[in-house]
Amino acid sequence: RGLGVTELRWMWTTFHMGHYVPLSWMTLGLDYVLWGMNPAGYHLTNVLLHTVNTVLLYVIARRLLTIVRGEKTDDRAIDLAAAFAALLFGIHPLRVESVVWITERRDVLSGLFYFLCVLFYLKSRDDGRRWYWLAVLVFPLALLSKATAVTIPAVLLILDVYPLRRVGGDAGWWSHSAKRVYIGLIPFALLAAATSVLSLVALHPPSQLNTAGKIAVSAWSLCFYLWKTLIPTDLAPLYEMRHDIPPLRWPFLVSYAAVIGISIGAWIIRRRWTGISIAWLAFVVIIFPLLGVVQNGPQIAADRYTYQAAPVLAILAGAALARLAWPLSAGAIALATGVLFTLGVLTWNQSRVWLDSATLWTRVLEHDAESSIGHTSLASLLFADGKVDEAIAHYERSLALDPGYAEGHNNLGVALASKGRLDEAVAHYQRALELRPAYAEAHGNWGAVLARQGDLPRAIEHYHVALDIDPNDADAHVNWGNALVRLGKVDEAIVHYQAALEVRRDDADAHQNWGVALAQQGKLQEAIIHFQRALTINPARSDARVFLDRATEMARAAPVP
């Protein structure tokens, strides 16, 4: 939230959620400076970046198609093909997740620098070394936006093979000119290697599938991305991976056959239809880091993972249109227009899935009724809306599907505690901690139950452990402060409220309870300020309103010194 020294230090040092993306954080910080917490501004930035990327893809496609088809090709055919490729990429439903989901800023920002790097490298073929060095300078910006840009060196080498033809074929693989190309790629390769190492450090990969499982997931997801590019229906925000991945189950067997068949076909036609073979190779290379070689997260695939690889297929489609539509064919133009219109409608509908959290998680469960994460997430929304019994039913369904889901146990414990079923709640907190010993929130919630039962010393022990695990656990600070107030240690309690507000500046609980502590000390004017701040953050807090009225009345009645 912002671009101050503290925020910048965090952005450039954090591996939050397993990613090192300081430039993406900086753009979100700039959005905060411009828009505060108004989401419209953040969405506008994403849309603008994606629009620029679409224009850049038009320029790249036009340059590549000109090289492939020759300078004498009619410009109108190239323009038409490049525009179709760019729009095919820009309004495809698979782009929705990258643009609509605010914190997927990584995709559109890294896409900007990715496309600029490729464009500058292509321009260096004709326009001199300065474009080459611009490509070298832009590449780190892509890496600092999203590490999956490590594929750029391989993509540039593929472009040098075809269509630039500076390596392989008549140019040879080890000729003097080919060696110069390899030397030119060294800076890109070194930056990519360093980023790959940093990414593994940042990721702290969780337990992984065995080799057979990884091959199965990779083949399946590769086919998934190809199929959804062609038929982008039945999309969802989450495609949850099952814990059991039998590599010989029929969906995986079909995927192996499809990948092997396409690869063999691409090899057979490599001389006659070089562009198709190269496109397949480039697509696989670009999307390879996202196929499941290293698992991160609960998904077996994700729409957003296609952002950097999709331009390859879009340009291939543009090249196909160029062959069909020139001399100008009304049928080909009508077909292209129909395709783009259909994709636009599908994209509009898919964007509405992200209208709000309830719509999103409902869609997840419509797509996959056995998504444990979907049930847990929808349950949390129902709980926040006061529909506790419905929430408990979804939590229980989630745990029936995945008994080892630590977050499900923790959240069910919270719901049960709200119904006064404290012993059952504790049992779920204990199970959550068995599954994930370093689970700060479960410790904090267990402490809250102990506090309700009057066991304040043991409650404080759990708050202490929670903060040892996560020093930024604002709830643990607030609850620890509340326990200290009940023990009569008001000054110590205020220290924890202050700490909570340093972590979470808009914490209404911290302000309200700090106000209560001050009121107990007779500092009514200071207490009033904190009650007012709590109400500014959340005007619906009726208890804060009662405390404010009471403190104001007492302050008026107090004798003037």
Side-chain angles (χ1 to χ4, degrees):
R1 295 188 179 186
L3 291 172
V5 173
T6 301
E7 288 84 4
L8 288 171
R9 183 185 300 116
W10 181 85
M11 293 170 186
W12 282 87
T13 58
T14 186
F15 291 152
H16 182 61
M17 296 191 74
H19 302 288
Y20 185 69
V21 288
L23 283 189
S24 294
W25 288 123
M26 287 179 68
T27 63
L28 292 168
L30 178 60
D31 274 335
Y32 183 79
V33 171
L34 295 173
W35 307 99
M37 292 302 288
N38 181 357
Y42 297 77
H43 284 303
L44 176 61
T45 303
N46 278 13
V47 170
L48 290 175
L49 285 168
H50 181 59
T51 303
V52 172
N53 292 343
T54 302
V55 174
L56 284 173
L57 183 59
Y58 166 79
V59 178
I60 291 170
R62 195 180 191 289
R63 181 170 286 266
L64 288 173
L65 292 171
T66 299
I67 295 171
V68 171
R69 296 180 63 81
E71 298 291 345
K72 295 182 180 180
T73 305
D74 192 296
D75 284 346
R76 287 172 294 177
I78 297 298
D79 287 341
L80 178 66
F84 179 67
L87 289 172
L88 197 63
F89 164 80
I91 63 171
H92 197 284
L94 289 176
R95 303 296 89 76
V96 169
E97 187 168 280
S98 296
V99 180
V100 174
W101 188 4
I102 286 174
T103 52
E104 268 310 296
R105 174 67 52 80
R106 298 170 296 170
D107 288 342
V108 290
L109 187 65
S110 67
L112 171 67
F113 297 122
Y114 200 115
F115 295 169
L116 282 173
C117 184
V118 170
L119 178 60
F120 292 159
Y121 191 80
L122 289 172
K123 288 176 71 68
S124 72
R125 168 182 178 264
D126 301 318
D127 301 331
R129 298 291 290 176
R130 65 192 179 98
W131 291 108
Y132 165 80
W133 288 112
L134 278 174
V136 173
L137 290 173
V138 165
F139 181 41
L141 302 181
L143 295 171
L144 292 171
S145 303
K146 189 174 183 179
T148 52
V150 293
T151 59
I152 282 181
V155 170
L156 299 182
L157 178 58
I158 291 171
L159 289 172
D160 279 316
V161 174
Y162 184 87
L164 300 181
R165 302 183 188 277
R166 298 196 290 193
V167 176
D170 295 337
W173 293 100
W174 298 108
S175 63
H176 177 68
S177 61
K179 290 178 181 177
R180 288 183 59 189
V181 170
Y182 298 145
I183 291 171
L185 291 175
I186 288 175
F188 298 98
L190 291 176
L191 287 167
T195 302
S196 297
V197 173
L198 181 63
S199 296
L200 290 175
V201 172
L203 188 58
H204 293 301
S207 58
Q208 300 286 297
L209 296 171
N210 57 30
T211 302
K214 287 187 176 185
I215 292 172
V217 167
S218 296
W220 185 91
S221 56
L222 182 57
C223 291
F224 172 88
Y225 296 132
L226 285 174
W227 180 251
K228 292 302 182 182
T229 297
L230 294 172
I231 312 292
T233 57
D234 196 31
L235 302 181
L238 175 66
Y239 309 99
E240 188 171 340
M241 184 187 295
R242 300 294 181 255
H243 292 290
D244 182 27
I245 302 292
L248 297 181
R249 185 175 290 174
W250 74 264
F252 300 119
L253 294 175
V254 172
S255 300
Y256 307 143
V259 172
I260 293 171
I262 295 172
S263 300
I264 291 174
W267 176 260
I268 292 172
I269 65 171
R270 70 188 187 283
R271 299 190 188 281
R272 180 178 176 86
W273 303 99
T274 307
I276 297 176
S277 301
I278 288 293
W280 171 245
L281 175 62
F283 183 80
V284 173
V285 165
I286 295 172
I287 212 162
F288 181 77
L290 299 166
L291 290 181
V293 179
V294 178
Q295 274 90 42
N296 179 33
Q299 66 281 342
I300 191 172
D303 296 351
R304 62 187 181 275
Y305 287 169
T306 61
Y307 198 88
Q308 292 173 350
V312 175
L313 300 181
I315 294 173
L316 183 62
L321 181 65
R323 295 184 67 89
L324 292 171
W326 202 261
L328 196 60
S329 163
I333 302 300
L335 176 62
T337 303
V339 168
L340 293 175
F341 178 81
T342 301
L343 291 177
V345 171
L346 292 173
T347 293
W348 176 268
N349 291 335
Q350 183 63 19
S351 70
R352 294 176 63 81
V353 169
W354 296 77
L355 180 66
D356 54 47
S357 296
T359 306
L360 185 144
W361 292 112
T362 299
R363 172 59 192 145
V364 168
L365 291 175
E366 287 173 352
H367 177 268
D368 179 8
E370 296 188 354
S371 169
S372 57
I373 294 172
H375 281 289
T376 294
S377 300
L378 185 58
S380 296
L381 294 172
L382 291 167
F383 178 76
D385 200 31
K387 300 174 181 178
V388 180
D389 291 331
E390 292 180 52
I392 289 174
H394 278 283
Y395 283 135
E396 290 175 340
R397 176 59 179 156
S398 171
L399 291 174
L401 292 166
D402 183 4
Y405 187 28
E407 186 175 346
H409 282 287
N410 174 71
N411 292 353
L412 177 55
V414 172
L416 292 170
S418 74
K419 300 285 286 186
R421 296 158 63 178
L422 301 185
D423 291 338
E424 294 176 69
V426 167
H428 283 284
Y429 296 144
Q430 290 174 321
R431 181 56 182 151
L433 288 167
E434 289 172 5
L435 294 166
R436 192 196 305 172
Y439 195 172
E441 188 177 341
H443 273 292
N445 289 332
W446 191 349
V449 168
L450 290 168
R452 288 178 62 180
Q453 294 174 328
D455 194 345
L456 298 177
R458 283 187 62 205
I460 288 174
E461 289 177 10
H462 281 281
Y463 301 145
H464 197 299
V465 174
L467 288 167
D468 283 342
I469 296 170
D470 180 9
N472 293 324
D473 188 340
D475 291 329
H477 274 299
V478 171
N479 289 333
W480 193 341
N482 296 344
L484 289 169
V485 168
R486 291 173 62 184
L487 291 170
K489 301 177 181 180
V490 176
D491 290 333
E492 293 180 46
I494 289 174
V495 171
H496 284 284
Y497 297 140
Q498 289 173 321
L501 288 166
E502 287 175 6
V503 173
R504 196 164 61 202
R505 285 174 284 187
D506 57 352
D507 192 321
D509 278 338
H511 277 297
Q512 177 176 310
N513 290 308
W514 191 347
V516 171
L518 289 168
Q520 287 190 11
Q521 291 181 317
K523 300 176 181 179
L524 297 175
Q525 293 300 332
E526 294 178 53
I528 288 170
I529 291 172
H530 284 283
F531 294 142
Q532 289 172 336
R533 288 176 180 170
L535 286 167
T536 299
I537 295 167
N538 183 1
R541 293 187 72 98
S542 57
D543 46 356
R545 173 65 60 187
V546 170
F547 290 143
L548 174 60
D549 292 342
R550 187 181 303 168
T552 302
E553 182 180 341
M554 292 173 65
R556 288 173 181 166
V560 178

